Amino acid sequence: MSRCATVSRNLDEPVSGTAATATTWLLLEQPGPWGAKALTSSHLDPALGRALEAAAAGTGVRVALIRRPGRHADPGTPPVRNVYAAHTVPGRVWLHSATTRDPQRLLDLDLAALGAGDHRSFGTALGGRPHTGDPLALVCTNGKRDRCCALLGRPLAAELAASGVHGVWEVTHLGGHRFSPTVLVLPYGYAYGRAEAHTVKEALHGIQEGHVVLAGCRGCSAWERPGQAAELAVRSAADEYRTGVLTVVRTNGSAPHWEVYVEHADGRRWQVTVAQRASLPPRPESCGATVLGAPARMDVTAVRELRPTALAS
């Protein structure tokens, strides 16, 4: 039977505007096996997983588990766990790290504040500090969620780690199984689909140099999906690849049609027309799907730079 990622690739389904949405990512190290819903079906205390899910609801924070690439036989409870928090909204991007012996301490975090970009509770509750290492590359490898993530994601994570790339972690879920291998690069929150080792390395090097690699880019998680597609379209139209200079300032309309306004740090602004369309022919949206679907795609139909006199409208 064809895998969902193979079908999506063969149909040349576009990846733009398909990234998971989160203003802030909260990542907790949890070695060992993961179930389909890893926060409550791993060796993390399921009561803690449920409490974190409930606390994060509506805050803009997405909680995920991470582990080092490699074999995942049960190593027992780790004495010390790595924890990361990353805020992805341009102009206020940050990545902080901490370690903890007691993951229950995450319940002391102010997730609403974290989602809004305030990292103070991360420092107070966990002793977190600004991350001084390399950017993070999170590779989705949760085969219990979708087999493509394991079959395609795990070899990618292993290859990156073996080649000396720092900051590589396996992660529980990034959405869009059919675009496997999927990768999220932090702190800026750009997601990539159908990723290969060389493209991930280019994306990480780009972030270190202050620019965004557009090849295979699904969008920035800070924006909803129409905004993701609009920002990438403006980058292409304006030949602008620097990080942190474009912001989605307004989105008018609702599915299947939006007018998205994207502003540059230098004051330029664009109006981007985005149409939601069905991806045809129907295809499996995941390997476990029993019914074929026509997933929504975000098609940019127009990019128009606005005159200064139109900016106040």
Side-chain angles (χ1 to χ4, degrees):
M1 187 172 74
S2 295
R3 300 195 301 264
C4 67
T6 303
V7 175
S8 177
R9 185 188 293 269
N10 289 342
L11 292 174
D12 198 25
E13 183 180 353
V15 302
S16 175
T18 66
T21 57
T23 54
T24 300
W25 292 82
L26 178 62
L27 310 169
L28 172 64
E29 184 177 6
Q30 177 57 60
W34 296 333
K37 295 183 178 180
L39 280 178
T40 54
S41 55
S42 68
H43 290 177
L44 182 70
D45 180 355
L48 173 58
R50 286 190 293 270
L52 288 171
E53 285 182 335
T59 65
V61 175
R62 190 176 179 106
V63 185
L65 303 181
I66 57 174
R67 64 190 177 196
R68 295 292 188 185
R71 296 174 61 89
H72 302 302
D74 180 14
T77 302
V80 178
R81 302 168 190 253
N82 287 280
V83 188
Y84 296 95
H87 188 63
T88 63
V89 176
R92 295 184 287 135
V93 169
W94 49 260
L95 172 60
H96 286 208
S97 60
T99 59
T100 185
R101 294 178 178 273
D102 180 10
Q104 295 285 339
R105 296 292 299 276
L106 272 68
L107 295 179
D108 295 330
L109 295 172
D110 185 340
L111 294 192
L114 281 178
D118 182 347
H119 53 68
R120 285 177 294 181
S121 72
F122 193 76
T124 302
L126 298 171
R129 297 180 179 276
H131 179 64
T132 57
D134 291 331
L136 303 185
L138 309 177
V139 184
C140 186
T141 63
N142 191 352
K144 294 294 185 181
R145 187 115 187 171
D146 189 279
R147 62 176 179 159
C148 280
C149 297
L151 292 172
L152 302 175
R154 286 181 186 168
L156 174 62
E159 181 180 355
L160 290 168
S163 66
V165 176
H166 300 291
V168 179
W169 292 88
E170 298 186 6
V171 69
T172 47
H173 184 48
L174 296 178
H177 321 292
R178 63 193 183 279
F179 302 120
S180 295
T182 61
V183 179
L184 178 71
V185 176
L186 293 176
Y188 288 94
Y190 285 92
Y192 292 84
R194 304 186 187 120
E196 298 179 1
H198 70 91
T199 58
V200 176
K201 292 176 183 179
E202 289 172 6
L204 290 169
H205 180 71
I207 291 298
Q208 290 176 311
E209 296 296 317
H211 67 266
V212 180
V213 170
L214 296 190
C217 191
R218 300 174 63 192
C220 175
S221 74
W223 316 126
E224 297 294 330
R225 291 181 176 180
Q228 295 172 12
E231 187 220 338
L232 294 179
V234 169
R235 286 190 176 280
S236 294
D239 201 28
E240 175 58 83
Y241 306 105
R242 288 174 292 170
T243 56
V245 298
L246 292 180
T247 301
V248 175
V249 294
R250 192 167 83 233
T251 300
N252 295 339
S254 58
H257 183 275
W258 298 269
E259 297 295 338
V260 182
Y261 295 84
V262 179
E263 187 174 273
H264 196 286
D266 64 14
R268 286 179 291 163
R269 188 177 287 194
W270 292 262
Q271 178 181 337
V272 184
T273 303
V274 181
Q276 178 179 301
R277 294 171 178 157
S279 296
L280 297 173
R283 78 285 310 276
E285 295 188 50
S286 67
C287 288
T290 57
V291 177
L292 298 182
R297 53 185 283 177
M298 296 293 153
D299 288 344
V300 171
T301 59
V303 178
R304 181 167 67 95
E305 186 171 356
L306 301 176
R307 295 176 179 272
T309 54
L311 297 184
S313 60

